[in-house]
Amino acid sequence: MTAARLPGLARTRPPRRVPVRLVLCLLPPVLVAVVAVRHRSVLAEGVRRLGTAEWPWLAAAAGTTCLTWVAAACTRQGAVVERLPRRRLLAAQFAAGAANHLLPTGLGASAVNLRFMTVCGLPLARSSAALALYLLAEGAGRLVLLVALLAAFPGALRLGVLLPEGSLGPLAPAAGALLLAAAAALALVRRLRTAALSFLRTALGEARAVHTRPARALALWGGALAFPALQAAGLVLVGRALGLPVPAAHTALAYLAATVAVALVPTPGGLGSVEAALVPALVAVGGPAAVATAVVLAYRIITVWLPLLPGALTLGVLVRLKVI
């Protein structure tokens, strides 16, 4: 006689497990709420500053922010030979922006795009190589624009104002120690050295394949230059909305220099570190401190906080639909 037929013996059902995908769908909005509570004073002050701005300029800044996702999608497409689904690629960049503000700088967006490319059928090794190519192109584009503006306006900005006094002293030994540790690991661990060489060969092959196609190379480097240029243009427009008495080129220079400086500080999306670098950068190019603070707060509301919840919800939907 089976256990189910024994008198008085109730059937027991196995406990229901919460699907992992459901947890991943709900996690981004929860993280948004946590981050918003932690930065509630900044949010409140930024919203108050927006109330005193000229709305046509703010609308233009919001439109420019939307174009940054298009530029990111172009750069991502340019990093791979295969054609990626355009709408899903653009949605993934919008979601990746939210993920980037919830995790240490670069990790959120990189994880989302790595998963997106593997779901699209690219092997993990090639997806990783494409991701590395994108990061290289984006960093190079930002540095090219910064160097060009520094050459055009050599006396507009003192780079020393972007980092606290004495901060370069600890950074240099720390960077040297990391490089030495990485070199020692590669020299001593054969498996790690083999994996690194294999990845390097894959990355070089992917870069060669991309640059044999003019359309892909144009998308890669055009998007890499357009992305930071659009970000800087957004700050210029917010400055106009709040009456910042600084030339547009100097404002763009301050933005590019500040974002390069905060790349040394691995905070989620640069939260906190971007504001700390941007305000003195705008002051260094001639902006009054009060107005510069207002501009930075309003700019971060438009570029970070307003898209954050929709981006997190988009991320959850993409996870639910198995796009990422």
Side-chain angles (χ1 to χ4, degrees), residues 44-267:
E45 182 64 18
V47 171
R48 190 180 72 81
R49 299 289 188 180
L50 287 175
T52 65
E54 297 182 19
W55 285 96
W57 290 110
L58 291 183
T64 303
T65 300
C66 294
L67 290 178
T68 60
W69 302 317
V70 178
C74 288
T75 314
R76 300 283 183 187
Q77 176 61 86
V80 297
V81 175
E82 290 81 358
R83 181 179 293 277
L84 300 173
R86 294 181 181 178
R87 293 181 181 179
R88 293 184 179 184
L89 176 61
L90 184 58
Q93 302 321 300
F94 183 48
N100 213 39
H101 295 302
L102 300 175
L103 295 173
T105 304
L107 292 182
S110 297
V112 168
N113 280 285
L114 187 63
R115 177 63 181 168
F116 173 74
M117 287 186 286
T118 53
V119 170
C120 288
L122 273 72
L124 181 59
R126 292 191 55 216
S127 298
S128 302
L131 179 61
L133 181 59
Y134 168 85
L135 293 174
L136 176 63
E138 199 276 333
R142 193 175 297 270
L143 285 174
V144 165
L145 291 177
L146 175 60
V147 170
L149 286 175
L150 285 174
F153 307 97
L157 176 67
R158 291 180 294 107
L159 296 179
V161 303
L162 301 179
L163 294 172
E165 186 177 354
S167 61
L168 290 178
L171 284 176
L178 286 175
L179 290 176
L180 287 175
L186 290 174
L188 297 175
V189 183
R190 182 177 179 181
R191 183 175 298 180
L192 182 61
R193 183 170 64 252
T194 302
L197 291 175
S198 176
F199 173 77
L200 184 59
R201 284 193 294 268
T202 303
L204 291 176
E206 194 72 16
R208 282 194 298 267
V210 163
H211 286 88
T212 58
R213 301 195 174 194
R216 292 290 186 268
L218 179 61
L220 176 66
W221 294 105
L225 288 170
F227 183 70
L230 288 167
Q231 288 181 320
L235 183 64
V236 170
L237 292 169
V238 174
R240 289 291 179 270
L242 290 169
L244 181 69
V246 175
H250 291 193
T251 303
L253 173 59
Y255 174 80
L256 293 170
T259 52
V260 169
V262 300
L264 300 173
V265 185
T267 59

